[in-house]
Amino acid sequence: MTVHDEPGYQDPAREAVTYDGVAGSGPPYDGLSLIASRHCKRAFLERPIPRDVLAEVLLTAGQAPSSRNVQPWRMTVVTGSPLDALTRTLCEGFDRGERPRPDCPNRTPTLDDTAAERARTALSGVLCAKGHAPDDASAARAHFRDNLRFYGAPAALVCHVSGDAVPGTFLEAGLFLQNVMLGLVARGLGSCPQFSVVGYADALRRKLDIDADRIIVCTMAVGYPDEAAPVNRFVPTRARLEEYVHWS
């Protein structure tokens, strides 16, 4: 199977969006169009992100709802040489065969048939988009390692919460993270939230001076997406409305 055969592939190569003559800045969005346009990006241009753009997105994302206005999320932004050092440490651990040890699970121990099939097709779709067979184990391993490089993005975000976090804490962090991703789209940026990197939580805390009692929720690769890369045109098929909405 090639990327062109995989459900969700957007063909042909899409031209970079321009607005006010600025390539990649993106068009003005209404809210629903903004949500629908957000998809994971796994290839980025070698173009630095102005700090004030990231600051604007993160500040605005802080408007996420929070019970009693606690705002439990914290974000560490990593760029430049610290990011290079971090990716080296993560990849060295992976190459040594260190077993991932995330602070908490991101899904249930077993998946029902529908969820398991979605997970399988999502991975096979990414592999096909990179030009590999969907069952290529070595390509899957290389893809996992590419996560630890943040797909070559110029910035990585690390979201963490307090060690005594409860389920509601993660809900609020998720609301904040969704705001971050939508804000990035609004500024012509792309992102990919990552749980696989959290498997090396101890390394993240050590390299980024994050307190030992903090729970690493996820990381996020951030940059200006390379829309010429086939992997960025893979969009997994989403569930139909009737699969998750019941009207009573």
Side-chain angles (χ1 to χ4, degrees), residues 83-208:
L83 178 59
D84 294 338
L86 176 62
T87 57
R88 281 196 301 271
T89 296
L90 295 172
C91 288
E92 287 169 0
F94 177 81
D95 293 341
R96 285 194 302 269
E98 290 183 12
R99 185 174 180 178
R101 296 179 57 189
D103 292 332
C104 54
N106 74 328
R107 61 185 182 187
T108 57
T110 58
L111 299 175
D112 62 34
D113 290 345
T114 299
E117 177 62 16
R118 288 174 182 163
R120 186 198 68 77
T121 56
L123 175 59
S124 65
V126 170
L127 294 181
C128 288
K130 289 185 169 185
H132 304 292
D135 57 352
D136 188 331
S138 62
R141 178 178 171 82
H143 172 66
F144 186 94
R145 192 180 191 276
D146 206 23
N147 268 274
L148 304 178
R149 295 181 52 259
F150 300 96
Y151 302 112
L157 308 182
V158 181
C159 181
H160 45 99
V161 296
S162 64
D164 59 355
V166 297
T169 308
F170 292 92
L171 169 63
E172 294 183 19
L175 296 170
F176 168 72
L177 289 164
Q178 178 73 352
N179 273 2
V180 171
M181 290 184 285
L182 295 178
L184 291 169
V185 173
R187 289 296 175 260
L189 291 155
S191 67
C192 184
Q194 303 162 292
F195 184 78
S196 54
V197 184
V198 177
Y200 299 86
D202 287 340
L204 290 169
R205 280 187 286 264
R206 184 175 67 253
K207 295 293 291 185
L208 302 178

Side-chain angles (χ1 to χ4, degrees), residues 19 26-38 178 182-183 185-187:
Y19 178 58
Y29 285 100
D30 66 75
L32 293 181
S33 296
L34 186 70
I35 294 170
S37 68
R38 190 221 63 81
Q178 178 73 352
L182 295 178
V185 173
R187 289 296 175 260

